[in-house]
Amino acid sequence: PPNLRPRPAASTTWHSNDDDVYRAPPIDRSLLPTAPRAAREPNIDRSRLPKSPPYTAFLGNLPYDVTEESIKDFFRGLNISAVRLPREPTNPERLKGFGYAEFEDIDSLFQALSLNEE
């Protein structure tokens, strides 16, 4: 004869351990900015900057109608030596949406990088 054993009763209770529940970590309020971005020290690791020229910054997320003059104007007051705005090979009229700015000194590069997201 087949082995007939009583089935365990199906539990209708959801057992939950608090450990199983995902909780976002608490916000460490001491890390939140309290001053406008311009007043805070930029979060740039100087040790990762080049020790000698060229001092080049990558410029991303540029509008397609940006000009070299508008880039130089944006960095007015910094020692900018060159701007490169790559174009689409199939359509030389269209920019790729990124570029490079070269600076004459490390301090200008540092100040340019501190303008991130501006």
Side-chain angles (χ1 to χ4, degrees), residues 1-114:
N3 190 355
L4 299 175
R5 281 185 287 185
R7 272 184 162 175
S11 172
T12 57
T13 318
W14 175 259
H15 294 285
S16 173
N17 241 347
D18 276 351
D19 295 342
D20 294 341
V21 178
Y22 172 77
R23 281 194 180 78
I27 295 171
D28 181 352
R29 302 234 178 254
S30 69
L31 298 176
L32 294 176
T34 55
R37 182 176 5 202
R40 296 196 309 265
E41 177 68 21
N43 187 20
I44 299 165
D45 182 357
R46 276 190 178 263
S47 70
R48 297 186 63 198
L49 298 180
K51 304 289 184 255
S52 59
Y55 302 112
T56 305
F58 173 80
L59 310 174
N61 206 22
L62 296 176
Y64 292 114
D65 60 349
V66 73
T67 64
E68 286 187 29
E69 291 71 36
S70 63
I71 300 282
K72 289 177 180 176
D73 192 48
F74 179 79
F75 291 120
R76 187 177 46 247
L78 304 182
N79 296 320
I80 189 166
S81 55
V83 174
R84 293 190 313 276
L85 299 172
R87 298 179 178 278
E88 293 289 350
T90 56
N91 181 0
E93 297 295 309
R94 185 173 167 90
L95 297 173
K96 288 190 172 187
F98 66 89
Y100 304 91
E102 193 171 308
F103 298 90
E104 294 175 14
D105 55 78
I106 191 73
D107 288 330
S108 288
L109 174 62
F110 181 79
Q111 288 178 30
L113 293 175
S114 70

